[in-house]
Structures are given as structure tokens and as C-alpha cells.
Amino acid sequence: SPVTGVQTCALPIYTGHCQHITSLTLHSKNHSTEIMNKEEQVQYLANVFYIVLADGNTDKNEEKAFERIAQAIGAGYFERRNAQDLAKQDGFEVCPVGRLSDRFRNIEDMLFISYCNQQVDAAEKKLIIDYATQIAVNQQQFGQIKQEAKQRQENFRQRTT
């Protein structure tokens, strides 16, 4: 529920095939400090976990990376579990969620987790490219996000080994 005296606005969300999230209502004096709600956290994390599942095997590095991503967006245990369950459902689709900055962060997290096992599988690559297309990432932006995700993965690997 909105806080008294705070301006409210509704922002359109991608409504392609993902019909379950159609708008995001922000209740904040400063929209730049708004965080995702729990439903959005679940979809965000399900997008990431679906990348983990895409190559058919899950390893400890991916599990650790998933936990790190969940913590970074403020998701709790139940959001993580719900996201994993959602991603495992037949017919699950990777869907953009949240603000544009959240969507770009989501693609970076999907790339980050795809680098966990040293090689990006063809299925992972297709999902990530399809998502990038949905959120209108151009090639230059994608290249930058990819480079940053690789560097982040290298740093993560050094800290966890």
C-alpha cells in the first residue's frame, strides 16, 4: 500500500508472452531508490535459474552464484525457492521485470551465471540473446554487459576458490 504523501506512478512492463506481470507500481519520492517487490524478485531470479537449468547440469559454482545474486537484490529464502520452482515449471518463459536498470542487471546476472562452468552452452546463449532482444539491448551494450559479466565471474571465481 502506498505511503501517505508519496507520489505513485504505474510503469508499463514488457507484455509479450509473459502476461502475469503487466505493470509495476512504484511508491516512492525518489524512484531511483525503489527496489523490486517480492513477485518481481521471484521472476528475476527465475530468469537466472532458468539459465542454470538450460545446459542440463547444475554445479556448486552456479549454486553459489545464484545465492550471491539473490542476496544482491534483497531476495530471501522463500523468493529463491519460489524462483527455482517457477523456473522448473513446464512452459516457463524468461520475462523482463522491473525497471530498465533491473532488466539490464538481469541480463548481466544471466551472463554471469552462464560463465560459472567456463563455457556458455548453446541453449543458454539462445535464451540470453532472446532476452536481450526483448529488452532492446543493442550490440554495443551487449558487448559491454558481456565483458563486465566475464570480469565479475573471474573475480567471483578467485574469491570462491
Side-chain angles (χ1 to χ4, degrees), residues 66-90:
F66 182 75
E67 292 300 316
R68 173 81 47 94
I69 291 165
Q71 289 171 354
I73 66 165
Y77 171 80
F78 292 110
E79 288 76 36
R80 291 192 304 268
R81 294 298 323 154
N82 289 341
Q84 290 171 326
D85 292 344
L86 179 61
K88 291 176 185 176
Q89 288 180 4
D90 289 338

Side-chain angles (χ1 to χ4, degrees), residues 115-116 118 152-161:
Y115 296 136
C116 279
Q118 312 276 334
R152 190 172 147 211
Q153 182 53 240
E154 285 179 34
N155 296 341
F156 178 74
R157 193 173 294 122
Q158 289 172 1
R159 286 191 301 266
T160 59
T161 55

Side-chain angles (χ1 to χ4, degrees), residues 32-159:
S32 66
T33 61
E34 190 65 36
I35 60 170
M36 288 181 275
N37 65 39
K38 295 191 182 304
E39 179 182 299
E40 292 164 338
Q41 289 173 342
V42 169
Q43 180 65 50
Y44 182 104
L45 291 173
N47 291 346
V48 173
F49 197 70
Y50 199 64
I51 300 299
V52 171
L53 299 174
D55 66 3
N57 59 32
T58 305
D59 64 32
K60 287 187 185 263
N61 286 334
E62 289 172 321
E63 291 171 10
K64 287 179 189 176
F66 182 75
E67 292 300 316
R68 173 81 47 94
I69 291 165
Q71 289 171 354
I73 66 165
Y77 171 80
F78 292 110
E79 288 76 36
R80 291 192 304 268
R81 294 298 323 154
N82 289 341
Q84 290 171 326
D85 292 344
L86 179 61
K88 291 176 185 176
Q89 288 180 4
D90 289 338
F92 174 79
E93 295 180 32
V94 174
C95 298
V97 64
R99 299 172 304 165
L100 182 60
S101 59
D102 295 328
R103 295 172 188 190
F104 273 58
R105 182 177 182 175
N106 203 189
I107 198 167
E108 182 184 345
D109 285 340
M110 288 189 275
L111 281 161
F112 169 71
I113 209 154
S114 73
Y115 296 136
C116 279
N117 51 9
Q118 312 276 334
Q119 182 177 338
V120 179
D121 180 78
E124 293 170 331
K125 184 177 181 178
K126 181 182 179 346
L127 288 167
I128 291 167
I129 290 171
D130 288 350
Y131 180 83
T133 301
Q134 286 181 20
I135 65 170
V137 173
N138 67 40
Q139 284 197 301
Q140 182 181 4
Q141 292 167 326
F142 188 78
Q144 182 69 35
I145 293 167
K146 192 169 136 180
Q147 181 182 358
E148 291 172 5
K150 282 181 182 179
Q151 182 61 53
R152 190 172 147 211
Q153 182 53 240
E154 285 179 34
N155 296 341
F156 178 74
R157 193 173 294 122
Q158 289 172 1
R159 286 191 301 266

